[in-house]
Amino acid sequence: MTVRRLGAGLVAAALLTPALAACASGTTGSAGSTATPTATASGTASPSGAPAAGDAKQALLDSTKEISNGNFRFTLAGAGSTAEGQVHQPSQSATMKVAIGGPSSDLAMKLDVIHYKPDSWVKLELSGPTANSLPTIKQLNLGKYQHLDQSRIKDNRSLGFDFEKVDPAGSAVLTQGITEVRGTGTGAYAGTIDVTKAAEAGSLNAATIAALGTQAKTVPFTAKVDPQGRLSELVLQLPAAGQTAAQEVKMTYSDYGAATAAQKPPAAEVVEAPAELYNLFN
């Protein structure tokens, strides 16, 4: 496996897009079976005691507004990938820790990414039998924070961060795609989402969406909001598509308004990123 193939097969597809065909080891199971009727987003009445669908959809649209203020913690999980971090817009900083693959994987990757505008750094850890066979492994400065050239990571969702679009999962875009919704309890909702624009959101990659075909327009979801009406959890249940098993993609948000500024890595632990690192992610 070449370094370039590694980037295409694991990072570009998996980082911030955890549900993907390239990592088919995700959660399997039935997607979206429900016992109660689902109301359409046009306003048909929901089950007794729950808000009407139009109200439920508006509540979820409104729940994402606080995210745009850029002060929260988040997690993403799906298909053998996990990510957690925080965004702190007041200091123009953000952090993310990502794990792709596990102890039994032929190739596993961990990333520790720090953004503190105008700088970015990444610490990379590769493990597994395949990692040792990579021809340029020694040039990747594993164990050090690698300072990134901003001109080389522009528009790169794996390494870059856009402080104009602070939500790693793009939940505002996803909720706009709700096609059916009902309230299932206090602060809880379920329904279906058209995820054909989810690549723009950053939560699914284009190849996964294409593989879903017409199923992409009716992906089951559940969502929760906190007592202040802010989104706390969004879960997509992706059906099986092609060679990819059914899988769950879960996003959570917490600590609204309580995130802290990122800590820049100590100078003694920083080196300039070599060309091999950029090749890995392109």
Side-chain angles (χ1 to χ4, degrees), residues 226-243:
D226 67 13
Q228 289 73 43
R230 303 169 300 195
L231 186 66
S232 59
E233 179 183 290
L234 179 61
V235 181
L236 304 179
Q237 296 289 349
L238 299 181
Q243 310 227 337

Side-chain angles (χ1 to χ4, degrees), residues 16-257:
L16 299 186
T17 58
L20 70 157
C23 289
S25 59
T27 304
T28 60
S30 169
S33 59
T34 55
T36 53
T38 300
T40 66
S42 59
T44 304
S46 303
S48 176
D55 296 336
K57 181 173 182 178
Q58 190 59 52
L60 288 177
L61 290 172
D62 292 343
S63 75
T64 66
K65 291 180 178 178
E66 183 64 24
I67 296 173
S68 65
N69 289 329
N71 193 324
F72 57 87
R73 298 182 190 277
F74 64 90
T75 68
L76 299 169
S81 304
T82 61
E84 62 178 336
Q86 65 171 11
V87 178
H88 190 250
Q89 183 74 283
S91 64
Q92 295 276 275
S93 68
T95 62
M96 179 179 288
K97 292 187 177 182
V98 180
I100 303 170
S104 61
S105 302
D106 286 341
L107 180 62
M109 175 181 291
K110 291 183 179 179
L111 297 169
D112 183 353
V113 187
I114 300 173
H115 302 285
Y116 207 124
K117 203 170 181 180
D119 293 300
S120 299
W121 303 264
V122 62
K123 181 189 285 188
L124 174 66
E125 179 184 330
L126 296 172
S127 60
T130 301
N132 297 326
S133 68
L134 294 175
T136 56
I137 191 76
K138 293 182 180 179
Q139 283 74 47
L140 291 175
N141 290 303
L142 304 184
K144 291 277 191 178
Y145 281 98
Q146 302 185 58
H147 182 255
L148 301 169
D149 180 345
Q150 295 296 312
S151 68
R152 300 184 73 169
I153 62 172
K154 185 179 180 181
D155 300 324
N156 185 319
R157 281 182 172 167
S158 297
L159 295 178
F161 191 85
D162 185 351
F163 282 97
E164 299 299 317
K165 299 177 182 178
V166 295
D167 182 7
S171 294
V173 175
L174 286 173
T175 54
Q176 288 168 13
I178 290 174
T179 52
E180 294 182 341
V181 63
R182 69 185 184 281
T184 58
T186 303
Y189 303 88
T192 57
I193 291 182
D194 179 348
V195 300
T196 54
K197 293 185 178 180
E200 174 189 338
S203 46
L204 298 176
N205 71 345
T208 298
I209 297 168
L212 288 172
T214 58
Q215 295 182 105
K217 293 186 175 294
T218 55
V219 171
F221 81 93
T222 59
K224 295 178 182 178
V225 300
D226 67 13
Q228 289 73 43
R230 303 169 300 195
L231 186 66
S232 59
E233 179 183 290
L234 179 61
V235 181
L236 304 179
Q237 296 289 349
L238 299 181
Q243 310 227 337
T244 304
Q247 53 193 293
E248 178 181 280
V249 179
K250 182 177 181 179
M251 314 153 210
T252 70
Y253 300 87
S254 62
D255 293 341
Y256 285 103

